[in-house]
Amino acid sequence: MRSATAAAVAAATLIGAGTAAVAAGRHASGVALRPRPGRPLPGEPRLTVHATGPGRITLTRALPSLRPGVYGLEGPGVHAVVGPVLADVPHAPDTVVRRLERVDHGTLEAGIRVRLTPRLYSGTPGSALGIPYEDVEIAGELGPLPAWYVPAARATWVITAHGLGATREHPLNVLGFLSRRLRFPVLDLAYRGDAGAPRPADGLGHLGESEWRDLDAALRHGARSVILHGWSTGAAMALHTAAHSRLRDRIAGVVLDSPVLDWEATLRALAAARRVPAALLPLAVRAAQGRTGLQGQGPGQTADPDALKVPALVFHGPGDSVAPWAATRALAERRPGLVTLHTVREAPHAAMWNADPERYEEAMRRFLTPLL
């Protein structure tokens, strides 16, 4: 009797532990995959504003505040833009001074906490850049998808897809270059999970594996020749669309910024950055597979390199802690005839343009010109 009782207690303990593990895995996967459009990605530290002056701002000295390039600066009720580090301006050893380009709204006061973000603009193409545009709706799989359409002279369109933690405001960084300088019509898409767009039934992001069908729907909006430009999961969406869309013959090329090519690594990075204990990360991966059907084309892959049939320009670098650069480098090495990799150092996830806008745009110009 005692033996049977002990066995029953042990079995109950195991069942309880298993149930707790499953629940923990589901929680961890939800923490990593629940869409948070417009909120900063985890892992980027908050910085203190120490002082401001004409054309300058003093921030806490840290690796992010020392990065080269131009970034948005977000805090409670504040959005501003900062430029390069001003090394010749006197400052305390624990601070750094950057050029303050502009304050879009709010007030930068000493003591407030802010974060750097790749997004430079708030609002619409019209309000942020003075570029005429149209509000349009795309007939998506789950319902109507809002988009901004910027008309221009060329027959080839650029369709943009933002990535993790971003909204369709992020592609505004390159909109002026694409529409004014290169004269491309641009369709800037909001997709499932974004504000104003349908929510996925499970309430989770799928790292591009289901969202790509919204990008596929955008191909049906009238363009006969298209360049897909995606950041992060938007880049994964572009690869899926180029491989699987029935209209893939309309796609002339893809531009990928910080592509999510290894969904397992990205999921682990997101969960870890949101303080999921390391012991739960394997459970989070298994739970994510069960909840979303994430499979990819191999262990952790979100896209099949061999399915790529059009030229690809890829911006990525080893400073990305969300989407491993190694997977991007492997893609470029496997498809050297189609993939052009521009390595960008000292730039976080989806901020390759921010590190050096002129170099980024010149690489795009060289890539896009032969595709017209």
Side-chain angles (χ1 to χ4, degrees):
M1 180 66 69
R2 289 178 181 174
S3 177
T5 301
V9 170
T13 300
L14 288 172
I15 291 171
T19 301
V22 169
R26 283 181 60 86
H27 171 73
S29 66
V31 164
L33 291 177
R34 203 164 302 282
R36 293 171 171 83
R39 295 180 59 184
L41 289 176
E44 284 295 297
R46 291 194 299 171
L47 307 168
T48 299
V49 175
H50 291 267
T52 61
R56 67 182 63 172
I57 183 170
T58 305
L59 300 167
T60 305
R61 188 178 187 87
L63 287 177
S65 60
L66 289 167
R67 288 176 185 141
V70 57
Y71 287 87
L73 199 66
E74 292 183 345
V78 176
H79 185 270
V81 175
V82 296
V85 172
L86 301 176
D88 57 343
V89 175
H91 58 87
D94 60 346
T95 66
V96 60
V97 180
R98 299 188 72 115
R99 188 166 68 210
L100 181 61
E101 305 284 358
R102 66 177 189 269
V103 178
D104 293 322
H105 57 258
T107 304
L108 285 170
E109 297 177 343
I112 71 166
R113 304 276 278 171
V114 293
R115 282 189 176 94
L116 294 177
T117 170
R119 179 177 65 88
L120 262 62
Y121 299 101
S122 298
T124 68
S127 64
L129 295 166
I131 295 177
Y133 76 102
E134 302 169 15
D135 284 306
V136 299
E137 282 192 347
I138 308 299
E141 179 184 52
L142 303 182
L145 304 166
W148 293 321
Y149 172 65
V150 176
R154 298 195 186 277
T156 298
W157 294 20
V158 175
I159 301 180
T160 61
H162 69 79
L164 292 164
T167 69
R168 56 180 166 153
E169 290 176 319
H170 186 195
L172 296 182
N173 286 1
V174 297
L175 180 60
F177 172 75
L178 291 171
S179 66
R180 285 175 169 160
R181 286 193 49 195
L182 298 188
R183 295 180 294 134
F184 282 107
V186 178
L187 186 67
D188 187 358
L189 179 69
Y191 53 86
R192 62 189 68 186
D194 286 347
R199 290 183 56 80
D202 58 12
L204 300 176
H206 292 198
L207 300 181
E209 282 208 3
S210 63
E211 293 89 345
W212 76 268
R213 291 191 285 273
D214 292 343
L215 191 53
D216 176 46
L219 291 179
R220 306 169 195 277
H221 197 68
R224 295 299 173 184
S225 176
V226 166
I227 306 294
L228 300 180
H229 189 161
W231 291 255
S232 178
T233 49
M237 291 164 58
L239 285 172
H240 281 298
T241 305
H244 304 302
S245 173
R246 292 183 180 179
L247 299 178
R248 59 185 176 272
D249 60 320
R250 297 184 182 182
I251 301 172
V254 294
V255 179
L256 312 175
D257 186 312
S258 312
V260 172
L261 300 179
D262 183 337
W263 70 263
E264 287 189 18
T266 294
L267 188 145
R268 285 171 176 266
L270 291 172
R274 293 191 171 107
R275 295 186 172 84
V276 172
L280 293 182
L281 296 180
L283 295 174
V285 170
R286 291 173 59 186
Q289 286 181 304
R291 300 177 74 182
T292 66
L294 281 166
Q295 294 297 331
Q297 306 299 322
Q301 292 181 358
T302 59
D304 180 5
D306 294 327
L308 185 64
K309 306 297 183 186
V310 296
L313 174 64
V314 187
F315 297 95
H316 208 178
D320 191 332
S321 62
V322 174
W325 182 57
T328 299
R329 188 171 56 183
L331 172 66
E333 291 171 351
R334 185 163 178 173
R335 304 304 305 276
L338 283 179
V339 177
T340 300
L341 174 60
H342 278 257
T343 301
V344 182
R345 303 188 183 276
E346 298 185 81
H349 184 65
M352 304 300 117
W353 177 88
N354 301 80
D356 192 339
E358 290 185 4
R359 180 171 178 263
Y360 190 107
E361 292 175 0
E362 176 59 18
M364 280 209 298
R365 187 191 66 78
R366 290 174 179 269
F367 174 76
L368 294 173
T369 299
L371 302 181
L372 297 177

